[in-house]
């Protein structure tokens, strides 16, 4: 399989207007992003695909990830709806296909082999999981034939996921961080703002640069000028003292915390 090169990506959750979504994806790719994340749950795969097609960037240079809805995780539904995702995206494959949440129709012994089947059939190059607990992650590794290429979870300076980051390093997969700005709360965080001022950048760039330095591939949502601004995180080297200061921040609460999430059971 082609190697999976995951750096900062564009998150598309909440990009509900098709024209805005398409324009944002195309602008992000033309600005330098090479990782685009969507999901069946976001109901925007067609608009994301249109943005990929509208960009001047070659398809093979872009990591395209989507996720199977938790209601579609019965084996036959996994196989059918993953192909429907390809049709909506206008692609013959995705680079990364995730189990979105291990809830509702998720049955590890039945669901995960269907993802292996899709990888064998060329529907996806890589298999990922999202919102798994450490125990569920270990279980999935035992069942899957395919290696887990990525685990996507909420991760930001106030919710740093140290255990899952350590497991990503141990198991040799990438941790992909959604809500890397804590749904905007990091932008108003006074301690992050002080670090940003010392480094002549925005709090968003600080949060994204911290993630990249700590081995997390962040997927911020952005529109307009913020799309390009977030890419500054690739070029800034925060001093180790500032990175350590972020690691020492008091932890906050999850921003995304459904009642039926695996960690609430």
């Amino acid at each position: 399989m082609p190697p999976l090169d995951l750096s900062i990506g564009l998150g598309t959750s909440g990009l509900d207007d098709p024209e805005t979504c398409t324009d944002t994806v195309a602008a992000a790719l033309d600005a330098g992003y090479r990782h685009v994340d969507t999901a069946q749950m976001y109901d925007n795969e067609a608009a994301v695909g249109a943005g990929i097609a509208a960009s001047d960037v070659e398809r093979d240079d872009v990591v395209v990830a989507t996720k199977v809805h938790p209601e579609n995780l019965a084996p036959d539904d996994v196989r059918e709806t993953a192909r429907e995702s390809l049709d909506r995206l206008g692609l013959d494959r995705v680079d990364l296909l995730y189990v979105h949440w291990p809830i509702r129709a998720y049955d590890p012994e039945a669901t995960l082999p269907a993802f292996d089947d899709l990888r064998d059939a060329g529907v996806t190059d890589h298999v990922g999981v999202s919102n798994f607990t450490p125990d569920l992650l270990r279980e999935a590794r035992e069942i899957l034939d395919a290696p887990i290429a990525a685990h996507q979870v909420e991760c930001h300076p106030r919710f740093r996921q140290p255990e899952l980051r350590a497991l990503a390093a141990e198991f040799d997969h990438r941790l992909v961080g959604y809500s890397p700005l804590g749904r905007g709360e990091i932008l108003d965080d006074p301690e992050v703002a002080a670090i940003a001022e010392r480094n002549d950048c925005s709090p968003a760039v600080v949060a994204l640069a911290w993630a990249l330095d700590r081995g997390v591939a962040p997927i911020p949502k952005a529109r307009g000028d913020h799309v390009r601004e977030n890419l500054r995180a690739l070029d800034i080297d925060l001093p180790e003292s500032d990175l350590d200061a972020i690691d020492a921040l008091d932890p906050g609460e999850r921003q995304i915390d459904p009642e039926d999430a695996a960690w609430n059971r």
Side-chain angles (χ1 to χ4, degrees), residues 84-156:
E84 291 171 350
S85 288
L86 292 189
D87 290 342
R88 287 189 291 269
L89 286 161
L91 302 175
D92 60 4
R93 63 173 178 82
V94 290
D95 300 88
L96 178 57
L97 184 69
Y98 290 98
V99 177
H100 200 164
W101 293 85
I103 58 175
R104 302 182 200 172
Y106 180 71
D107 175 350
E109 295 286 352
T111 299
L112 295 172
F115 279 76
D116 279 326
D117 292 345
L118 291 171
R119 181 173 178 262
D120 292 342
V123 172
T124 184
D125 291 341
H126 300 277
V127 172
V129 297
S130 183
N131 300 302
F132 276 46
T133 63
D135 285 346
L136 289 175
L137 182 64
R138 292 185 179 95
E139 177 185 56
R141 279 172 47 84
E142 291 297 317
I143 295 170
L144 281 164
D145 291 332
I148 292 175
H151 182 199
Q152 186 176 134
V153 294
E154 179 179 342
C155 188
H156 51 78

Side-chain angles (χ1 to χ4, degrees), residues 42-65:
Y42 304 163
D43 199 26
N44 63 8
E45 288 173 314
V48 168
I52 294 167
S55 168
D56 292 332
V57 178
E58 293 291 329
R59 161 66 185 99
D60 286 345
D61 293 334
V62 183
V63 173
V64 181

